[in-house]
Amino acid sequence: KRNLASRYAARAAELKCSPAPRMPVKGFLGFGRLIESIKATNAERGPQYVVSAIDSEMGRNVHTVVVPIADYELIATRDPANVQAMLATKSADWDVGEARNASWRPLFGDGVFTSRGEAWKHSRALVRPQFTKDQINDLDLIERHVQQLFDAIDRSSSRVPSEAGKGWTPALDLQPLFYNMTLDITTELIYGYSVHSQNPRSRVALPTLPGLAQPDRENIGTHMDAGKAWVETRGALWKYRWLLPTKQFSKHCAAVHAYAQWFVQLRLQRGDGYLDGIREDTGQDSGSRYILLDELAKATRDPVELRSQTLNILTAGRDTTASLIGWIFYFLARHPRVFEKLRAEVLAEFPKPEGIEFRALRDKIPYMTSVINEALRVAPVIPLNERVAIRDTVLPRGGGPKGDEPMFVAEGQQVLIPTFAMTRREDLWGDDAEEFRPERWEEEGGGGGGGRKRGFEFIPFGGGVRQCLGQQFARTKAAYVVVRLLQRYDGIANAEEPADAPMRFHHTIENRSGSGVQVRLHEA
Ligand code: HEM
């Protein structure tokens, strides 16, 4: 070990690097830090824990630290220059950690989100072209599911007859409704058949496949959620994940696989007639429709690859977008002024449900863009990311007494990228960094409209070579759903008790509000 340390020291000196500050070792055998962070995640303040640990133990001006945990060391950096180096300018020296692949693979298989190295390059080349196609932004498809969302809200409201006719819905939690809606949208977009979790009566009968049981449309969302919670814990425990029992996790993995496998088999059997078959089964005109599985099957017929790639997109696309829409309404309910201003903009551009177009959603409602950005800043959907050095390399900052000298990183060393901590830095965002204030995006240097673009301190969709492929799709879908809800409702009230309860982050890869999105809505 000493030989290794002196080799690293020599290499660091050669590269003119200085060491970064080390956080104190904590707890029995150094496991204290791991236990603290797992406890914080369970208490729904995992992202906040990273900020408070660095601020209180190292100081608010320290942005890159070495964290000793048991028998390994983690680097944590909230310095945008270092993040830019890892994700973009020196990305050849970095990859996602082995922990991501090893923790995720049992559930979703090897796909664009989970794989590393050459396997990732292959996956990205396979799925990337799909995201440049206009058809992926199919607003008619989204509208059908928004209608079901309205029905679901109405059903919740009619449970309290005394409230009927007063215009206000009773208190309801919008968050699970958004998760159901995005599950319905994403399963339809990927496989051609929605699970219709919002309204199971909308499900169509599926054909019979010899030797394969019908897919479990009822429970797929639950299996995905439960499986992901295991993935999160497996990732946090990293090399100690063998301590975890596997029976429950394996059950969820098998159910998720069986679900995707069924559609893959159907596509392989039907071949080029897949879209026609969907049209016959669902009665919907899918003549010109775009279905991801159908497109991918033109490039590969490997059933495991098709299963894994579609499941990767299902998880990347579904939960993230639901989380974002949920947080937007969480903040709107607490900021009536923002609600009024946004609604006025929406109604001026889109007075009625018809004729809402993709390009107008992107370009014609700038305050919506500011609201979406601000929600992503205050409550980043992916608050923690990571990378590992795949060769000895250098980060531009973090070393030396002021943290402004380069630091050496040895091959195999893991780096935590707490994006949440970057968007909380007052020196980058101002004294009101904690506050939800969309107007900051309209100000000089704010990053919105005509202002300067934000750099690597704001990377809700990642950056560089592994940047999110679904960013535009997610932004459009979120904007569309918000527009449609603001057309229908002219008032929103926060129904959480107590009303000023602190934000809670329920973190299973993406984060959602731990207290849900408890609101009352007023029908226009
Ligand atoms: C609010 C919504 C979303 C957020 C915040 C988000 C965020 C992210 C982030 C941070 C990454 C980078 C991960 C990394 O650096 O390792 C990523 C990657 C990815 N996202 Fe998204 N995403 C969203 C929606 C979507 C949607 C709707 C889709 C697809 C339909 C999608 C597909 C992907 C894919 C395929 C990757 C993997 C790219 C790669 O590793 O090469 N995302 N996303």
Side-chain angles (χ1 to χ4, degrees), residues 131-195:
F131 288 88
T132 58
K133 297 186 178 167
D134 273 354
Q135 298 95 304
I136 198 164
N137 289 296
D138 183 345
L139 293 179
D140 291 343
L141 183 154
I142 298 175
E143 173 62 24
R144 273 189 279 110
H145 296 286
V146 167
Q147 287 299 329
Q148 299 213 330
L149 172 72
F150 290 163
D151 290 347
I153 294 175
D154 289 347
R155 280 199 302 277
S156 317
S157 309
S158 63
R159 275 192 224 121
V160 183
S162 62
E163 297 282 340
K166 290 188 190 164
W168 281 98
T169 67
L172 60 110
D173 184 359
L174 287 176
Q175 189 165 260
L177 305 186
F178 291 148
Y179 271 76
N180 284 346
M181 178 185 66
T182 56
L183 180 65
D184 290 355
I185 293 174
T186 319
T187 47
E188 180 165 346
L189 192 71
I190 292 178
Y191 299 113
Y193 297 86
S194 173
V195 292

Side-chain angles (χ1 to χ4, degrees), residues 447-470:
R452 176 172 64 84
K453 274 233 183 289
R454 276 276 170 190
F456 276 73
E457 68 272 31
F458 182 65
I459 48 161
F461 294 93
V465 293
R466 283 191 91 131
Q467 195 167 21
C468 177
L469 286 167

Side-chain angles (χ1 to χ4, degrees), residues 52 63 102 135 139 144 172 177 343 356 390 417 430 524:
S52 63
H63 302 309
Q135 298 95 304
L139 293 179
R144 273 189 279 110
L172 60 110
L177 305 186
R343 187 163 189 271
I356 304 172
I390 54 173
I417 307 173

Side-chain angles (χ1 to χ4, degrees), residues 224-236:
M224 279 178 63
D225 284 349
K228 272 177 53 194
W230 282 100
V231 169
E232 173 70 30
T233 317
R234 284 163 61 86

Side-chain angles (χ1 to χ4, degrees), residues 268-388:
L268 292 177
Q269 283 186 20
R270 281 186 174 166
D272 293 343
Y274 192 58
L275 292 187
D276 289 341
I278 296 171
R279 185 168 48 219
E280 272 166 38
D281 295 337
T282 62
Q284 273 158 18
D285 177 18
S286 64
S288 61
R289 280 252 310 281
Y290 165 92
I291 302 298
L292 184 79
L293 170 63
D294 188 56
E295 297 294 325
L296 291 179
K298 293 174 189 166
T300 172
R301 294 182 61 80
D302 176 346
V304 176
E305 166 136 49
L306 287 170
R307 182 185 82 195
S308 304
Q309 298 291 3
T310 53
L311 284 176
N312 267 245
I313 307 283
L314 179 58
T315 187
R318 175 237 176 170
D319 302 338
T320 46
T321 316
S323 155
L324 170 60
I325 301 172
W327 281 115
I328 292 172
F329 279 91
Y330 178 96
F331 292 119
L332 290 180
R334 284 157 179 79
H335 298 273
R337 180 194 62 81
V338 176
F339 179 87
E340 294 300 335
K341 185 170 164 183
L342 182 64
R343 187 163 189 271
E345 180 189 73
V346 162
L347 292 192
E349 189 59 35
F350 305 117
K352 46 187 181 17
E354 298 78 31
I356 304 172
E357 281 177 1
F358 167 70
R359 263 173 243 288
L361 284 167
R362 194 186 57 192
D363 303 332
K364 293 286 172 68
I365 41 175
Y367 193 59
M368 175 76 80
T369 307
S370 298
V371 168
I372 292 176
N373 280 342
E374 188 66 346
L376 286 165
R377 186 189 71 81
V378 183
V381 169
I382 311 277
L384 305 170
N385 201 343
E386 43 65 52
R387 286 296 185 266
V388 69

